[in-house]
Structure formats: structure tokens, C-alpha cells
Amino acid sequence: MSHLIEVFIDTYDLFLNGLWITLKLSAASLFIAFFIGLFFAILKISNIKILEWIADAYIWLVRGTPLIVQIFVLYYGLVEIVLIPMFWAGAAGLAFHSGAYIAEIIRGAIQSIDKGQMEAGRSLGMTTGKTMKRIILPQAFRRAVPSLGNQFIIGIKDSSLVSFIGLQEIFGVASSGGSNNFDYLTYYFIAAIYYLVIVLALTLIVNYIENRMAKSD
């Protein structure tokens, strides 16, 4: 235990830098993933077969292949076309993956809204798009908060895989430290502590938002 505490103190600056990269990477990828998910959710409920097929193909592709493969394909594929920083290549890979799951979350939330609300909006003279924007989506997002919160937590943990393309986030720092000091167990245990703190904080935030929304209802 004393060795763990000693290493924790000696490496806190490295891990804090890795923590900052993890948070930035997760925030950027999940922000992009949300809009990817919203886009494909709308395609999936469009009732236009070709658009539904496109959405289904994207979701099938993401679900059928490992995240690490998606990150590698996007990273090495993108650098063949355009020079892109490692950070944004990793964010793109994570966003591509999370977007499929967010699409299904939003689709389910939209379809859980009573169809009569769309009809009511149309009867008031609103277009389908305006009814979706002003009536359906706000309610759907409220219902999707718990599932989106869980997906965001998964996204934080998934960000560790970006270390395999060289990004020094929390897991990357732990791997480098373990390799340099021949002490993988201690460094990975410290990484686990940082991830647990992040997940706990995010869980508390999500629970707070859920409780506030429940009270407002």
C-alpha cells in the first residue's frame, strides 16, 4: 500500500495531464456523437426506405465491429487522405462508435412520444419539422437523459482505447509508466482510481439532472 501511495504522489502530475486529455477527448467525441446519433435517428424514423437502410447499415457496421478496429481504420485511413492530429482522429473514432448507440437511444425516445402530439402540432398549422423541433424532440430528450447519461459514462471508459494510437490519456500514461518502471499493476491500479472518480462524478451529475427534471414534471 505504501508503494502505491508513493507512486500515486510521484505521478500525479502525469496522470492529471492524462485526465485532462481524457476529459477533452470524451467531451469532444460525445458532442460530435450526439449530433451523429440525432441525424441517424431521424433517418431511421423518416419512413423513407433508402434513408432507413442507410441508418440501419451504419448501426449494423458499428455494432458488428470492435471499437478498437474502428479507431484504427479511421485513424490510419484519415491520415492517408489528410494530416489530422492524433487527438481529433481518436475523437472521430469514438464519435463514430458512440453515435450509433445514441441514435438508437434517441430513436426509442422519439417513438415513445404519443403519435397524437405530432397530429396536434400539424392541426395547429406547424410543419412536420417544426412540430418535431418544438414538441417532440424536447420531450424525447427528457426521456433519453438516463440512457444518454449511461452512454456518456461508457464513452469515458471507451476513450482508453485511443491510447493504442499513441494518445497519452489516462490509460496511455499508465501503460507508459508501467513499461518504464516494470510495474504495470501499480500504474493500472492508479488509472482505475482516476476512472472511478470520473465515473462517480458523472453519475452524480446525471442523477442530479434526473432528479431536477422529475421535480419539474
mmCIF file of all heavy atoms in Angstrom, residues 4 7-23 168-178 184 186-195 198:
data_model
loop_
_atom_site.group_PDB
_atom_site.id
_atom_site.type_symbol
_atom_site.label_atom_id
_atom_site.label_comp_id
_atom_site.label_asym_id
_atom_site.label_seq_id
_atom_site.Cartn_x
_atom_site.Cartn_y
_atom_site.Cartn_z
ATOM 1 N N LEU A 4 2.070 1.958 -3.437
ATOM 2 C CA LEU A 4 1.005 2.516 -4.267
ATOM 3 C C LEU A 4 0.838 4.005 -4.002
ATOM 4 O O LEU A 4 0.732 4.806 -4.943
ATOM 5 C CB LEU A 4 -0.305 1.774 -3.990
ATOM 6 C CG LEU A 4 -1.551 2.324 -4.682
ATOM 7 C CD1 LEU A 4 -1.434 2.202 -6.196
ATOM 8 C CD2 LEU A 4 -2.801 1.596 -4.189
ATOM 9 N N VAL A 7 3.844 5.978 -5.456
ATOM 10 C CA VAL A 7 3.764 6.130 -6.911
ATOM 11 C C VAL A 7 2.638 7.092 -7.281
ATOM 12 O O VAL A 7 2.782 7.914 -8.199
ATOM 13 C CB VAL A 7 3.552 4.759 -7.589
ATOM 14 C CG1 VAL A 7 3.343 4.933 -9.091
ATOM 15 C CG2 VAL A 7 4.740 3.850 -7.327
ATOM 16 N N PHE A 8 1.515 7.002 -6.582
ATOM 17 C CA PHE A 8 0.379 7.902 -6.839
ATOM 18 C C PHE A 8 0.806 9.354 -6.686
ATOM 19 O O PHE A 8 0.467 10.211 -7.516
ATOM 20 C CB PHE A 8 -0.764 7.575 -5.874
ATOM 21 C CG PHE A 8 -2.022 8.346 -6.141
ATOM 22 C CD1 PHE A 8 -3.000 7.851 -6.996
ATOM 23 C CD2 PHE A 8 -2.234 9.575 -5.547
ATOM 24 C CE1 PHE A 8 -4.153 8.562 -7.243
ATOM 25 C CE2 PHE A 8 -3.387 10.302 -5.786
ATOM 26 C CZ PHE A 8 -4.354 9.790 -6.635
ATOM 27 N N ILE A 9 1.557 9.654 -5.631
ATOM 28 C CA ILE A 9 2.003 11.031 -5.382
ATOM 29 C C ILE A 9 3.043 11.452 -6.420
ATOM 30 O O ILE A 9 3.000 12.574 -6.947
ATOM 31 C CB ILE A 9 2.585 11.147 -3.957
ATOM 32 C CG1 ILE A 9 1.479 10.934 -2.914
ATOM 33 C CG2 ILE A 9 3.241 12.515 -3.752
ATOM 34 C CD1 ILE A 9 1.984 10.840 -1.489
ATOM 35 N N ASP A 10 3.975 10.557 -6.731
ATOM 36 C CA ASP A 10 5.047 10.894 -7.669
ATOM 37 C C ASP A 10 4.548 11.121 -9.094
ATOM 38 O O ASP A 10 5.192 11.830 -9.869
ATOM 39 C CB ASP A 10 6.098 9.778 -7.676
ATOM 40 C CG ASP A 10 6.897 9.711 -6.382
ATOM 41 O OD1 ASP A 10 6.889 10.703 -5.631
ATOM 42 O OD2 ASP A 10 7.511 8.655 -6.114
ATOM 43 N N THR A 11 3.420 10.498 -9.433
ATOM 44 C CA THR A 11 2.945 10.551 -10.824
ATOM 45 C C THR A 11 1.680 11.395 -11.000
ATOM 46 O O THR A 11 1.110 11.393 -12.091
ATOM 47 C CB THR A 11 2.640 9.125 -11.336
ATOM 48 O OG1 THR A 11 1.630 8.526 -10.494
ATOM 49 C CG2 THR A 11 3.884 8.261 -11.312
ATOM 50 N N TYR A 12 1.290 12.104 -9.957
ATOM 51 C CA TYR A 12 0.002 12.801 -10.059
ATOM 52 C C TYR A 12 -0.010 13.842 -11.170
ATOM 53 O O TYR A 12 -1.044 14.066 -11.812
ATOM 54 C CB TYR A 12 -0.361 13.448 -8.714
ATOM 55 C CG TYR A 12 0.296 14.786 -8.456
ATOM 56 C CD1 TYR A 12 -0.352 15.983 -8.795
ATOM 57 C CD2 TYR A 12 1.562 14.864 -7.889
ATOM 58 C CE1 TYR A 12 0.248 17.202 -8.566
ATOM 59 C CE2 TYR A 12 2.159 16.078 -7.658
ATOM 60 C CZ TYR A 12 1.507 17.246 -7.990
ATOM 61 O OH TYR A 12 2.098 18.456 -7.769
ATOM 62 N N ASP A 13 1.142 14.490 -11.439
ATOM 63 C CA ASP A 13 1.176 15.489 -12.498
ATOM 64 C C ASP A 13 0.996 14.845 -13.873
ATOM 65 O O ASP A 13 0.285 15.397 -14.738
ATOM 66 C CB ASP A 13 2.480 16.281 -12.461
ATOM 67 C CG ASP A 13 3.718 15.393 -12.496
ATOM 68 O OD1 ASP A 13 3.609 14.217 -12.106
ATOM 69 O OD2 ASP A 13 4.785 15.889 -12.924
ATOM 70 N N LEU A 14 1.587 13.669 -14.072
ATOM 71 C CA LEU A 14 1.418 12.959 -15.337
ATOM 72 C C LEU A 14 -0.025 12.494 -15.507
ATOM 73 O O LEU A 14 -0.620 12.629 -16.590
ATOM 74 C CB LEU A 14 2.349 11.748 -15.396
ATOM 75 C CG LEU A 14 3.851 12.036 -15.434
ATOM 76 C CD1 LEU A 14 4.637 10.729 -15.345
ATOM 77 C CD2 LEU A 14 4.217 12.786 -16.708
ATOM 78 N N PHE A 15 -0.586 11.951 -14.449
ATOM 79 C CA PHE A 15 -1.960 11.462 -14.533
ATOM 80 C C PHE A 15 -2.965 12.604 -14.639
ATOM 81 O O PHE A 15 -4.014 12.443 -15.288
ATOM 82 C CB PHE A 15 -2.290 10.569 -13.333
ATOM 83 C CG PHE A 15 -1.890 9.138 -13.530
ATOM 84 C CD1 PHE A 15 -0.751 8.634 -12.925
ATOM 85 C CD2 PHE A 15 -2.652 8.292 -14.331
ATOM 86 C CE1 PHE A 15 -0.376 7.310 -13.111
ATOM 87 C CE2 PHE A 15 -2.286 6.966 -14.526
ATOM 88 C CZ PHE A 15 -1.142 6.475 -13.910
ATOM 89 N N LEU A 16 -2.679 13.738 -14.027
ATOM 90 C CA LEU A 16 -3.581 14.885 -14.167
ATOM 91 C C LEU A 16 -3.598 15.387 -15.604
ATOM 92 O O LEU A 16 -4.649 15.773 -16.128
ATOM 93 C CB LEU A 16 -3.173 16.012 -13.220
ATOM 94 C CG LEU A 16 -3.523 15.815 -11.742
ATOM 95 C CD1 LEU A 16 -3.073 17.028 -10.921
ATOM 96 C CD2 LEU A 16 -5.031 15.602 -11.558
ATOM 97 N N ASN A 17 -2.426 15.362 -16.250
ATOM 98 C CA ASN A 17 -2.382 15.727 -17.666
ATOM 99 C C ASN A 17 -3.155 14.714 -18.503
ATOM 100 O O ASN A 17 -3.910 15.075 -19.415
ATOM 101 C CB ASN A 17 -0.934 15.796 -18.142
ATOM 102 C CG ASN A 17 -0.815 16.269 -19.575
ATOM 103 O OD1 ASN A 17 -1.211 17.378 -19.912
ATOM 104 N ND2 ASN A 17 -0.272 15.421 -20.438
ATOM 105 N N GLY A 18 -2.988 13.418 -18.168
ATOM 106 C CA GLY A 18 -3.763 12.379 -18.856
ATOM 107 C C GLY A 18 -5.250 12.514 -18.597
ATOM 108 O O GLY A 18 -6.069 12.290 -19.499
ATOM 109 N N LEU A 19 -5.599 12.895 -17.374
ATOM 110 C CA LEU A 19 -7.003 13.116 -17.026
ATOM 111 C C LEU A 19 -7.597 14.237 -17.861
ATOM 112 O O LEU A 19 -8.728 14.127 -18.374
ATOM 113 C CB LEU A 19 -7.116 13.442 -15.534
ATOM 114 C CG LEU A 19 -8.482 13.905 -15.028
ATOM 115 C CD1 LEU A 19 -9.523 12.804 -15.192
ATOM 116 C CD2 LEU A 19 -8.389 14.331 -13.563
ATOM 117 N N TRP A 20 -6.840 15.319 -18.019
ATOM 118 C CA TRP A 20 -7.311 16.464 -18.812
ATOM 119 C C TRP A 20 -7.533 16.055 -20.264
ATOM 120 O O TRP A 20 -8.545 16.418 -20.884
ATOM 121 C CB TRP A 20 -6.296 17.604 -18.713
ATOM 122 C CG TRP A 20 -6.589 18.803 -19.548
ATOM 123 C CD1 TRP A 20 -5.771 19.375 -20.474
ATOM 124 C CD2 TRP A 20 -7.786 19.595 -19.543
ATOM 125 N NE1 TRP A 20 -6.375 20.464 -21.050
ATOM 126 C CE2 TRP A 20 -7.611 20.630 -20.503
ATOM 127 C CE3 TRP A 20 -8.974 19.527 -18.842
ATOM 128 C CZ2 TRP A 20 -8.585 21.588 -20.761
ATOM 129 C CZ3 TRP A 20 -9.963 20.496 -19.094
ATOM 130 C CH2 TRP A 20 -9.762 21.496 -20.049
ATOM 131 N N ILE A 21 -6.611 15.262 -20.809
ATOM 132 C CA ILE A 21 -6.765 14.792 -22.182
ATOM 133 C C ILE A 21 -7.975 13.866 -22.298
ATOM 134 O O ILE A 21 -8.749 13.945 -23.261
ATOM 135 C CB ILE A 21 -5.486 14.078 -22.653
ATOM 136 C CG1 ILE A 21 -4.332 15.072 -22.749
ATOM 137 C CG2 ILE A 21 -5.711 13.401 -24.010
ATOM 138 C CD1 ILE A 21 -2.987 14.443 -23.075
ATOM 139 N N THR A 22 -8.159 12.990 -21.309
ATOM 140 C CA THR A 22 -9.319 12.088 -21.307
ATOM 141 C C THR A 22 -10.625 12.873 -21.309
ATOM 142 O O THR A 22 -11.553 12.561 -22.060
ATOM 143 C CB THR A 22 -9.281 11.163 -20.076
ATOM 144 O OG1 THR A 22 -8.168 10.273 -20.194
ATOM 145 C CG2 THR A 22 -10.553 10.323 -19.979
ATOM 146 N N LEU A 23 -10.710 13.902 -20.471
ATOM 147 C CA LEU A 23 -11.936 14.704 -20.386
ATOM 148 C C LEU A 23 -12.187 15.466 -21.679
ATOM 149 O O LEU A 23 -13.328 15.527 -22.162
ATOM 150 C CB LEU A 23 -11.851 15.667 -19.198
ATOM 151 C CG LEU A 23 -11.836 15.020 -17.806
ATOM 152 C CD1 LEU A 23 -11.649 16.085 -16.733
ATOM 153 C CD2 LEU A 23 -13.120 14.243 -17.563
ATOM 154 N N GLN A 168 -1.707 10.056 -25.103
ATOM 155 C CA GLN A 168 -1.359 9.853 -23.693
ATOM 156 C C GLN A 168 -2.473 10.339 -22.775
ATOM 157 O O GLN A 168 -2.316 11.305 -22.018
ATOM 158 C CB GLN A 168 -0.048 10.562 -23.374
ATOM 159 C CG GLN A 168 1.169 9.900 -23.989
ATOM 160 C CD GLN A 168 1.433 8.515 -23.413
ATOM 161 O OE1 GLN A 168 1.763 8.371 -22.246
ATOM 162 N NE2 GLN A 168 1.296 7.493 -24.244
ATOM 163 N N GLU A 169 -3.619 9.651 -22.854
ATOM 164 C CA GLU A 169 -4.661 9.924 -21.865
ATOM 165 C C GLU A 169 -4.380 9.043 -20.637
ATOM 166 O O GLU A 169 -3.276 8.554 -20.494
ATOM 167 C CB GLU A 169 -6.057 9.704 -22.463
ATOM 168 C CG GLU A 169 -6.219 8.504 -23.361
ATOM 169 C CD GLU A 169 -6.031 7.218 -22.636
ATOM 170 O OE1 GLU A 169 -6.924 6.832 -21.855
ATOM 171 O OE2 GLU A 169 -4.988 6.563 -22.840
ATOM 172 N N ILE A 170 -5.359 8.844 -19.771
ATOM 173 C CA ILE A 170 -5.084 8.145 -18.510
ATOM 174 C C ILE A 170 -4.465 6.768 -18.735
ATOM 175 O O ILE A 170 -3.439 6.427 -18.141
ATOM 176 C CB ILE A 170 -6.387 8.011 -17.678
ATOM 177 C CG1 ILE A 170 -6.850 9.388 -17.201
ATOM 178 C CG2 ILE A 170 -6.146 7.109 -16.471
ATOM 179 C CD1 ILE A 170 -8.195 9.359 -16.479
ATOM 180 N N PHE A 171 -5.088 5.970 -19.584
ATOM 181 C CA PHE A 171 -4.579 4.614 -19.811
ATOM 182 C C PHE A 171 -3.215 4.646 -20.498
ATOM 183 O O PHE A 171 -2.345 3.824 -20.213
ATOM 184 C CB PHE A 171 -5.577 3.801 -20.631
ATOM 185 C CG PHE A 171 -5.224 2.350 -20.742
ATOM 186 C CD1 PHE A 171 -5.475 1.480 -19.697
ATOM 187 C CD2 PHE A 171 -4.616 1.850 -21.887
ATOM 188 C CE1 PHE A 171 -5.131 0.129 -19.789
ATOM 189 C CE2 PHE A 171 -4.272 0.515 -21.990
ATOM 190 C CZ PHE A 171 -4.533 -0.348 -20.935
ATOM 191 N N GLY A 172 -3.036 5.602 -21.402
ATOM 192 C CA GLY A 172 -1.743 5.731 -22.078
ATOM 193 C C GLY A 172 -0.640 6.082 -21.095
ATOM 194 O O GLY A 172 0.482 5.544 -21.193
ATOM 195 N N VAL A 173 -0.933 6.980 -20.158
ATOM 196 C CA VAL A 173 0.047 7.340 -19.125
ATOM 197 C C VAL A 173 0.382 6.116 -18.270
ATOM 198 O O VAL A 173 1.548 5.862 -17.950
ATOM 199 C CB VAL A 173 -0.497 8.478 -18.238
ATOM 200 C CG1 VAL A 173 0.405 8.691 -17.023
ATOM 201 C CG2 VAL A 173 -0.615 9.774 -19.040
ATOM 202 N N ALA A 174 -0.652 5.354 -17.898
ATOM 203 C CA ALA A 174 -0.437 4.153 -17.076
ATOM 204 C C ALA A 174 0.412 3.124 -17.821
ATOM 205 O O ALA A 174 1.319 2.512 -17.235
ATOM 206 C CB ALA A 174 -1.776 3.549 -16.679
ATOM 207 N N SER A 175 0.137 2.930 -19.101
ATOM 208 C CA SER A 175 0.903 1.954 -19.887
ATOM 209 C C SER A 175 2.369 2.372 -20.008
ATOM 210 O O SER A 175 3.277 1.547 -19.859
ATOM 211 C CB SER A 175 0.283 1.805 -21.276
ATOM 212 O OG SER A 175 -1.012 1.263 -21.196
ATOM 213 N N SER A 176 2.589 3.658 -20.272
ATOM 214 C CA SER A 176 3.969 4.147 -20.390
ATOM 215 C C SER A 176 4.702 4.036 -19.063
ATOM 216 O O SER A 176 5.862 3.595 -19.009
ATOM 217 C CB SER A 176 3.968 5.606 -20.860
ATOM 218 O OG SER A 176 3.397 5.727 -22.147
ATOM 219 N N GLY A 177 4.033 4.431 -17.978
ATOM 220 C CA GLY A 177 4.656 4.352 -16.658
ATOM 221 C C GLY A 177 4.953 2.923 -16.259
ATOM 222 O O GLY A 177 6.032 2.627 -15.719
ATOM 223 N N GLY A 178 4.005 2.027 -16.520
ATOM 224 C CA GLY A 178 4.221 0.625 -16.184
ATOM 225 C C GLY A 178 5.363 0.029 -16.972
ATOM 226 O O GLY A 178 6.169 -0.754 -16.440
ATOM 227 N N TYR A 184 3.493 -2.649 -13.984
ATOM 228 C CA TYR A 184 2.201 -2.421 -14.627
ATOM 229 C C TYR A 184 1.046 -2.416 -13.628
ATOM 230 O O TYR A 184 0.126 -1.601 -13.736
ATOM 231 C CB TYR A 184 1.947 -3.494 -15.691
ATOM 232 C CG TYR A 184 2.770 -3.315 -16.936
ATOM 233 C CD1 TYR A 184 3.915 -4.086 -17.158
ATOM 234 C CD2 TYR A 184 2.410 -2.378 -17.895
ATOM 235 C CE1 TYR A 184 4.674 -3.921 -18.310
ATOM 236 C CE2 TYR A 184 3.163 -2.202 -19.051
ATOM 237 C CZ TYR A 184 4.293 -2.981 -19.252
ATOM 238 O OH TYR A 184 5.039 -2.810 -20.388
ATOM 239 N N THR A 186 0.715 -1.551 -10.467
ATOM 240 C CA THR A 186 0.536 -0.316 -9.702
ATOM 241 C C THR A 186 -0.012 0.801 -10.581
ATOM 242 O O THR A 186 -0.948 1.510 -10.197
ATOM 243 C CB THR A 186 1.877 0.129 -9.083
ATOM 244 O OG1 THR A 186 2.357 -0.900 -8.219
ATOM 245 C CG2 THR A 186 1.704 1.413 -8.288
ATOM 246 N N TYR A 187 0.550 0.965 -11.762
ATOM 247 C CA TYR A 187 0.133 2.057 -12.644
ATOM 248 C C TYR A 187 -1.295 1.840 -13.159
ATOM 249 O O TYR A 187 -2.072 2.798 -13.263
ATOM 250 C CB TYR A 187 1.119 2.212 -13.807
ATOM 251 C CG TYR A 187 2.354 2.977 -13.415
ATOM 252 C CD1 TYR A 187 3.423 2.334 -12.800
ATOM 253 C CD2 TYR A 187 2.452 4.347 -13.631
ATOM 254 C CE1 TYR A 187 4.567 3.032 -12.424
ATOM 255 C CE2 TYR A 187 3.586 5.054 -13.265
ATOM 256 C CZ TYR A 187 4.640 4.396 -12.652
ATOM 257 O OH TYR A 187 5.758 5.100 -12.279
ATOM 258 N N TYR A 188 -1.649 0.605 -13.473
ATOM 259 C CA TYR A 188 -3.010 0.346 -13.931
ATOM 260 C C TYR A 188 -4.008 0.508 -12.781
ATOM 261 O O TYR A 188 -5.159 0.919 -12.993
ATOM 262 C CB TYR A 188 -3.111 -1.048 -14.537
ATOM 263 C CG TYR A 188 -2.482 -1.159 -15.910
ATOM 264 C CD1 TYR A 188 -1.836 -2.316 -16.311
ATOM 265 C CD2 TYR A 188 -2.557 -0.097 -16.811
ATOM 266 C CE1 TYR A 188 -1.262 -2.418 -17.571
ATOM 267 C CE2 TYR A 188 -1.979 -0.186 -18.058
ATOM 268 C CZ TYR A 188 -1.327 -1.346 -18.442
ATOM 269 O OH TYR A 188 -0.766 -1.428 -19.686
ATOM 270 N N PHE A 189 -3.586 0.175 -11.567
ATOM 271 C CA PHE A 189 -4.458 0.358 -10.408
ATOM 272 C C PHE A 189 -4.722 1.847 -10.189
ATOM 273 O O PHE A 189 -5.855 2.244 -9.897
ATOM 274 C CB PHE A 189 -3.818 -0.251 -9.152
ATOM 275 C CG PHE A 189 -4.763 -0.402 -8.005
ATOM 276 C CD1 PHE A 189 -5.525 -1.547 -7.861
ATOM 277 C CD2 PHE A 189 -4.905 0.617 -7.070
ATOM 278 C CE1 PHE A 189 -6.423 -1.680 -6.808
ATOM 279 C CE2 PHE A 189 -5.786 0.493 -6.009
ATOM 280 C CZ PHE A 189 -6.546 -0.661 -5.883
ATOM 281 N N ILE A 190 -3.698 2.671 -10.352
ATOM 282 C CA ILE A 190 -3.876 4.129 -10.221
ATOM 283 C C ILE A 190 -4.798 4.648 -11.317
ATOM 284 O O ILE A 190 -5.668 5.493 -11.070
ATOM 285 C CB ILE A 190 -2.504 4.831 -10.271
ATOM 286 C CG1 ILE A 190 -1.688 4.471 -9.027
ATOM 287 C CG2 ILE A 190 -2.682 6.344 -10.373
ATOM 288 C CD1 ILE A 190 -0.252 4.962 -9.062
ATOM 289 N N ALA A 191 -4.625 4.131 -12.547
ATOM 290 C CA ALA A 191 -5.517 4.529 -13.646
ATOM 291 C C ALA A 191 -6.959 4.195 -13.309
ATOM 292 O O ALA A 191 -7.875 5.000 -13.569
ATOM 293 C CB ALA A 191 -5.095 3.837 -14.939
ATOM 294 N N ALA A 192 -7.176 3.020 -12.715
ATOM 295 C CA ALA A 192 -8.529 2.616 -12.333
ATOM 296 C C ALA A 192 -9.133 3.592 -11.335
ATOM 297 O O ALA A 192 -10.327 3.905 -11.395
ATOM 298 C CB ALA A 192 -8.501 1.204 -11.747
ATOM 299 N N ILE A 193 -8.320 4.097 -10.412
ATOM 300 C CA ILE A 193 -8.810 5.075 -9.423
ATOM 301 C C ILE A 193 -9.298 6.337 -10.125
ATOM 302 O O ILE A 193 -10.377 6.857 -9.817
ATOM 303 C CB ILE A 193 -7.699 5.409 -8.406
ATOM 304 C CG1 ILE A 193 -7.375 4.178 -7.551
ATOM 305 C CG2 ILE A 193 -8.114 6.588 -7.521
ATOM 306 C CD1 ILE A 193 -6.166 4.365 -6.640
ATOM 307 N N TYR A 194 -8.524 6.824 -11.076
ATOM 308 C CA TYR A 194 -8.926 8.042 -11.800
ATOM 309 C C TYR A 194 -10.218 7.818 -12.580
ATOM 310 O O TYR A 194 -11.105 8.675 -12.596
ATOM 311 C CB TYR A 194 -7.805 8.490 -12.740
ATOM 312 C CG TYR A 194 -6.699 9.247 -12.054
ATOM 313 C CD1 TYR A 194 -5.542 8.603 -11.622
ATOM 314 C CD2 TYR A 194 -6.802 10.612 -11.825
ATOM 315 C CE1 TYR A 194 -4.519 9.289 -10.985
ATOM 316 C CE2 TYR A 194 -5.779 11.313 -11.200
ATOM 317 C CZ TYR A 194 -4.648 10.649 -10.769
ATOM 318 O OH TYR A 194 -3.649 11.339 -10.135
ATOM 319 N N TYR A 195 -10.324 6.661 -13.240
ATOM 320 C CA TYR A 195 -11.553 6.374 -13.984
ATOM 321 C C TYR A 195 -12.757 6.280 -13.046
ATOM 322 O O TYR A 195 -13.844 6.764 -13.366
ATOM 323 C CB TYR A 195 -11.413 5.071 -14.781
ATOM 324 C CG TYR A 195 -10.634 5.214 -16.059
ATOM 325 C CD1 TYR A 195 -9.419 4.540 -16.240
ATOM 326 C CD2 TYR A 195 -11.096 6.023 -17.098
ATOM 327 C CE1 TYR A 195 -8.700 4.675 -17.419
ATOM 328 C CE2 TYR A 195 -10.381 6.157 -18.273
ATOM 329 C CZ TYR A 195 -9.175 5.480 -18.425
ATOM 330 O OH TYR A 195 -8.473 5.618 -19.598
ATOM 331 N N ILE A 198 -13.907 9.774 -12.122
ATOM 332 C CA ILE A 198 -14.629 10.421 -13.228
ATOM 333 C C ILE A 198 -16.037 9.864 -13.348
ATOM 334 O O ILE A 198 -17.022 10.615 -13.467
ATOM 335 C CB ILE A 198 -13.882 10.214 -14.563
ATOM 336 C CG1 ILE A 198 -12.514 10.878 -14.535
ATOM 337 C CG2 ILE A 198 -14.705 10.790 -15.722
ATOM 338 C CD1 ILE A 198 -11.669 10.552 -15.759
#
